[in-house]
Amino acid sequence: MLDTASPPGAPARLDDALRAALARNLARFEPRAAARPRRLRSAAVSVVVTDDDAGRPCFLITRRPTKLRRHAGQWALPGGRLDDGESIVEAALRELEEELGLALAPDRVLGALDVYETRSGFAITPLVVWGGPGCRLTPDPQEVAEVHRVALAELEKPEVPRLERIPESERPVIVLPIFGREINAPTAAVLYQFVEVAVRGKSTRVAHYEQPVFAWK
């Protein structure tokens, strides 16, 4: 829930009340840092809250081109590694503009979620960013094969998340079956924590959720 006065379920409107509620919930949350930061490369991603053609609150998700050297074809949030001397906020907003042509000011950042450590050697800091209504996107085809506006209501489905067991790990793999696709960690873990923390006002952690084996490299 957004706050104690909000009805259950996904928020119905993208408005100032939603922005304030997301910021309030994130301000109450204490994000965890990486457990082994010196061994990992720092990266930042953005959960951008905007709307779709029907005016529903949405988040943005991209699919990486199949010709990329690493993580080709995978579903991802806009973002990437930090450049030298860059802060998390600077990197997240720079990547957002480079990938989607969306230039936003630092005051659009509503808060942060837990750092998620990946098998491929990254410590990813997710930021929740207020895109606002009518975001105009110009994806860079070199970095983005597809971009989708996915309604927040997709994250409220009873089958979300789905946990799977694999022989390679004792930890459960988290999968989000949303908008007719299956989204895997790390993106799945970040989005699940986003809806739990920013939308529902909980303190759910996701570091224990595993990634599929194909994402380990």
Side-chain angles (χ1 to χ4, degrees):
M1 297 172 63
L2 290 171
D3 53 42
T4 55
S6 299
R13 297 177 58 190
L14 188 83
D15 53 20
D16 289 342
L18 174 58
R19 179 176 181 170
L22 295 174
R24 213 165 37 241
N25 287 337
L26 288 162
R28 290 196 292 257
F29 181 68
E30 295 185 8
R32 291 180 177 172
R36 47 193 182 100
R38 294 182 181 179
R39 300 181 182 180
L40 300 171
R41 289 163 287 182
S42 296
V45 299
S46 297
V47 182
V48 180
V49 182
T50 183
D51 58 1
D52 61 10
D53 292 340
R56 300 176 300 175
C58 297
F59 63 89
L60 301 178
I61 191 169
T62 69
R63 188 161 196 167
R64 294 166 61 84
T66 57
K67 294 182 180 180
L68 292 181
R69 185 172 59 88
R70 301 190 67 182
H71 307 300
Q74 293 183 24
W75 292 102
L77 296 167
R81 68 178 67 186
L82 274 63
D83 288 342
D84 290 342
E86 222 175 15
S87 70
I88 293 293
V89 170
E90 289 169 341
L93 296 180
R94 172 183 55 76
E95 289 282 351
L96 193 55
E97 185 170 9
E98 290 177 358
E99 291 185 15
L100 297 179
L102 184 58
L104 298 174
D107 64 3
R108 295 292 192 99
V109 176
L110 302 182
L113 301 171
D114 288 345
V115 174
Y116 187 86
E117 300 181 25
T118 73
R119 291 276 194 171
S120 58
F122 288 93
I124 300 175
T125 300
L127 300 181
V128 179
V129 180
W130 184 256
C135 281
R136 298 184 64 179
L137 307 177
T138 310
D140 179 353
Q142 299 300 316
E143 298 194 60
V144 177
E146 302 174 32
V147 58
H148 296 265
R149 300 171 189 251
V150 181
L152 297 189
E154 288 283 318
L155 299 174
E156 297 285 354
K157 291 180 176 180
E159 64 269 26
V160 176
R162 186 176 77 237
L163 302 181
E164 300 177 349
R165 293 289 177 180
I166 57 174
E168 294 86 353
S169 176
E170 295 181 353
R171 298 188 292 158
V173 174
I174 184 170
V175 181
L176 303 186
I178 56 177
F179 77 110
R181 283 79 167 175
E182 292 196 346
I183 311 302
N184 294 282
T187 302
V190 171
L191 287 173
Y192 179 61
Q193 189 175 49
F194 158 71
V195 73
E196 285 282 280
V197 171
V199 178
R200 297 170 179 158
K202 299 181 180 181
S203 296
T204 303
R205 305 295 179 178
V206 295
H208 59 290
Y209 289 131
E210 183 63 273
Q211 304 150 73
V213 175
F214 67 75
W216 288 16
K217 296 181 179 181

